[in-house]
DNA sequence: GCAAATTAATGATTTATTCAAG
DNA sequence: CTTGAATAAATCATTAATTTGC
């Protein structure tokens, strides 16, 4: 029933574990090069394509956020309920200073949580990686585009290449092996994503965080 | 000041005219192959990349919808205002049949328009096109992915290829030169997008619609 | 007329929502 | 119900119109 091609990728346990490891390590929106490297690496454990890696991170990030939001709104509701219950039970016993103070503190706590929901405290920027060769410049008329750009700062002509990333296309600076400057430039470093053999992965993270 | 590389593409007049022509002809979400063909065609009039075409359609469609929505809400507001004014001036003169009829017709007109906003009456499905060769199957490990899928219906193994389209990646059925069935399958026909020489474009639409 | 300063369009990204397979 | 895949909405950022003062 599923000999060669299932219409939809489903990650093997090892693939999932590695992906989650990478996610935990801070990677959220891998670049094209990263995706390629991850894909290559994970294809050792089973069929996988670049788009699968791409979508996995996309969804995982989104659903993390979603989970957080729900948690917070639930907390908020609980808090509000508790407040109401307090008010109900005590039923305006005196309308004294204490009453108002309590109320205010409650609201304050709420708005704090809200703002936390918006700018997520997602660790440090992702640790990036670029291999020596980068994406091999394949046939000219392929679906990836290449072009040259004159950099007024360095007064040099850099060749750019379109690669998929972050929905749609993203630029890959071919010369520097670096994410293009047209995106908000994040600190891009040359780290190795897989410095060890992957056996180290199966250390203790047997239960993926629910 | 803008010799080779501007960080952002800005379409030439001809390019714009052709794009709008295509849009008017019904194309909304061109497939990878379409984008490639359009890009090739438009590159005759100036620098252009596949992603530009892709984004252009994305944005144009979205902003069309937006425009429509605003128009309709404005209409709605006007109608409601008029109704209120009517009620103020006439001030329940008789509460007769006519009054209610009027009111009802107003609301009816609105809700009809609303539903129109949702499932857009965008003409017929886009007239598609696929050239003979399609995307040449370039180097194996490039940023586009290829794989095989077993089709239970035809009992054949089809090769698929990832191409960019509709945000992120989309499948291109290499064997059939046809958009993948994983997307909502629209009637795909083999029509020529540019049957005539492009000189026919500059007929009368000298002023792009503001 | 013509540049500096604002504003409006619109190209490019990111985030949220939806669909559908398992 | 989970989650891979796809689409739509919202947002950011740069360019082009335009206004304004000279």
């Amino acid at each position: 029933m599923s000999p060669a091609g299932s219409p939809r990728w489903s990650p093997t346990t090892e693939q999932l574990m590695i992906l989650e490891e990478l996610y935990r390590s801070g990677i959220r929106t891998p670049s094209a090069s990263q995706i390629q490297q991850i894909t290559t690496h994970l294809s050792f454990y089973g069929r996988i394509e670049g788009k699968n890696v791409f979508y996995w991170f996309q969804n995982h990030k989104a659903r993390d956020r979603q989970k957080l939001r729900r948690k917070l709104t639930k907390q908020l509701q609980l808090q509000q309920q508790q407040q109401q219950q307090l008010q109900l039970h005590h039923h305006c016993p005196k309308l004294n200073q204490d009453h108002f103070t309590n109320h205010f503190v409650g609201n304050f706590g709420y708005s704090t949580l809200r703002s936390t929901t918006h700018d997520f405290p997602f660790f440090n920027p992702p640790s990036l990686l670029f291999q020596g060769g980068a994406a091999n410049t394949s046939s000219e008329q392929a679906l990836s585009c290449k072009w040259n750009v004159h950099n007024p700062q360095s007064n040099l002509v850099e060749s750019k290449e379109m690669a998929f990333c972050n929905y749609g296309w993203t630029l890959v600076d071919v010369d520097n092996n670096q994410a293009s400057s047209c995106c908000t430039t994040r600190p891009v470093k040359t780290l190795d994503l897989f410095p060890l053999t992957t056996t180290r992965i199966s250390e203790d993270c047997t239960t993926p965080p629910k």
Side-chain angles (χ1 to χ4, degrees), chain A:
Chain A
M1 201 56 83
S2 61
S6 182
R8 167 173 154 168
W9 167 71
S10 51
T12 70
T13 316
E14 283 109 343
Q15 287 175 338
L16 234 177
M17 270 163 41
I18 296 178
L19 285 170
E20 280 169 351
E21 173 95 1
L22 292 174
Y23 188 86
R24 266 195 303 277
S25 85
I27 291 181
R28 292 288 175 279
T29 312
S31 70
S33 308
Q34 283 180 290
I35 289 177
Q36 187 151 331
Q37 188 167 343
I38 295 171
T39 305
T40 304
H41 189 79
L42 290 190
S43 66
F44 179 72
Y45 300 99
R47 178 174 72 81
I48 191 170
E49 312 287 341
K51 67 159 188 170
N52 304 131
V53 175
F54 169 70
Y55 280 132
W56 189 90
F57 276 96
Q58 208 69 28
N59 282 319
H60 206 70
K61 186 171 61 171
R63 278 157 188 159
D64 241 24
R65 262 191 299 240
Q66 184 177 267
K67 228 178 278 175
L68 230 175
R69 244 176 321 194
R70 283 183 187 161
K71 210 188 211 167
L72 292 172
T73 42
K74 199 173 272 181
Q75 264 189 9
L76 165 64
Q77 284 180 348
L78 272 179
Q79 279 192 359
Q80 286 187 340
Q81 276 186 2
Q82 285 179 351
Q83 302 251 334
Q84 284 187 353
Q85 288 203 347
L86 270 177
Q87 289 188 1
L88 269 172
H89 283 199
H90 293 181
H91 215 266
C92 279
K94 274 199 291 187
L95 254 177
N96 58 7
Q97 189 66 27
D98 276 352
H99 181 82
F100 284 110
T101 308
N102 244 326
H103 191 69
F104 176 71
V105 167
N107 278 336
F108 183 69
Y110 160 61
S111 72
T112 303
L113 285 170
R114 269 269 292 226
S115 80
T116 305
T117 318
H118 282 168
D119 43 354
F120 288 94
F122 276 147
F123 332 150
N124 3 15
S127 57
L128 299 191
L129 65 304
F130 290 96
Q131 284 192 326
N136 47 4
T137 52
S138 50
S139 60
E140 196 76 26
Q141 246 315 318
L143 286 178
S144 67
C145 311
K146 293 185 295 180
W147 69 97
N148 293 324
V149 161
H150 178 260
N151 187 339
Q153 286 197 316
S154 63
N155 202 29
L156 288 173
V157 174
E158 305 167 348
S159 40
K160 301 277 183 180
E161 180 175 7
M162 285 307 302
F164 105 94
C165 177
N166 309 348
Y167 273 79
W169 297 78
T170 279
L171 310 187
V172 172
D173 188 325
V174 175
D175 290 333
N176 302 330
N177 280 338
Q178 187 170 310
S180 159
S181 57
C182 84
C183 313
T184 45
T185 337
R186 299 178 196 157
V188 178
K189 284 289 173 289
T190 309
L191 293 176
D192 195 354
L193 245 189
F194 301 108
L196 308 177
T197 61
T198 47
T199 50
R200 89 185 167 90
I201 297 293
S202 39
E203 276 174 13
D204 71 332
C205 40
T206 40
T207 50
K210 206 273 178 67

